[in-house]
């Protein structure tokens, strides 16, 4: 499942799943495809002289999947999704939330479930505990 489109579709399939954990790769691949799609829709609308109707509908449709994947990403870093409320604070809150989103997963099972790296990653990418 290394293709960005597959990660994007997986996040869309889990759009109502606010439990569990989302790998950093899942989050960033979803975000990448969503931003490219949004940009392409905006370029197409402006070149056709149409209003921003399609990109607005797309943005509204992506709200729940985006919130879900961010929610699960925070769970993966062993943080409650309430940390997302830090984004309300201009600039400083955004930096805190971004730092949580780019941080690595907690390698073991936490309150939100088992590590998705252990479940999804090939054997050579799995976390090996120190001896």
């Amino acid at each position: 499942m290394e293709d960005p489109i597959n990660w994007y579709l997986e996040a869309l399939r889990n759009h109502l799943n606010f439990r569990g954990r989302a790998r950093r790769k899942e989050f960033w691949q979803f975000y990448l495809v969503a931003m490219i799609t949004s940009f392409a829709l905006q370029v197409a609308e402006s070149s056709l002289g149409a209003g921003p109707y399609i990109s607005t509908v797309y943005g509204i449709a992506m709200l729940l999947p985006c919130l879900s994947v961010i929610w699960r990403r925070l769970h993966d870093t062993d943080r409650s999704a309430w940390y997302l409320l830090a984004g309300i604070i201009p600039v400083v809150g955004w930096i805190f939330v971004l730092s949580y989103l780019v941080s690595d997963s907690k390698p073991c099972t936490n309150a939100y479930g088992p590590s998705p790296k252990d479940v999804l990653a090939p054997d050579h990418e799995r976390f090996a505990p120190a001896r």
Side-chain angles (χ1 to χ4, degrees):
M1 186 147 95
E2 296 301 317
D3 185 23
I5 299 296
N6 289 336
W7 287 108
Y8 177 77
L9 294 174
E10 182 67 24
L12 287 180
R13 280 191 286 274
N14 286 323
H15 74 282
L16 292 177
N17 181 11
F18 287 87
R19 295 175 186 245
R21 299 165 65 169
R23 291 178 65 177
R24 182 171 41 180
K25 186 171 192 170
E26 177 184 351
F27 171 76
W28 288 110
Q29 296 290 336
F30 169 77
Y31 189 76
L32 173 73
V33 173
M35 289 299 106
I36 290 172
T37 304
S38 179
F39 180 73
L41 286 172
Q42 290 173 6
V43 167
E45 286 173 340
S46 66
S47 67
L48 295 174
Y53 304 114
I54 298 173
S55 61
T56 301
V57 169
Y58 177 76
I60 292 170
M62 286 292 102
L63 187 62
L64 193 59
C66 188
L67 186 62
S68 170
V69 78
I70 291 172
W71 198 283
R72 289 183 286 115
R73 178 71 198 124
L74 287 171
H75 285 175
D76 193 39
T77 61
D78 205 15
R79 291 180 177 87
S80 169
W82 288 106
Y83 279 87
L84 189 56
L85 291 177
I88 294 173
I89 303 167
V91 183
V92 175
W94 304 334
I95 292 170
F96 277 115
V97 173
L98 182 63
S99 71
Y100 300 151
L101 295 176
V102 300
S103 62
D104 199 9
S105 303
K106 298 297 179 193
C108 54
T109 300
N110 64 19
Y112 306 103
S115 174
K117 283 186 176 180
D118 291 338
V119 174
L120 298 173
D123 289 333
H124 66 279
E125 290 182 11
R126 288 192 181 171
F127 172 77
R131 294 180 192 176

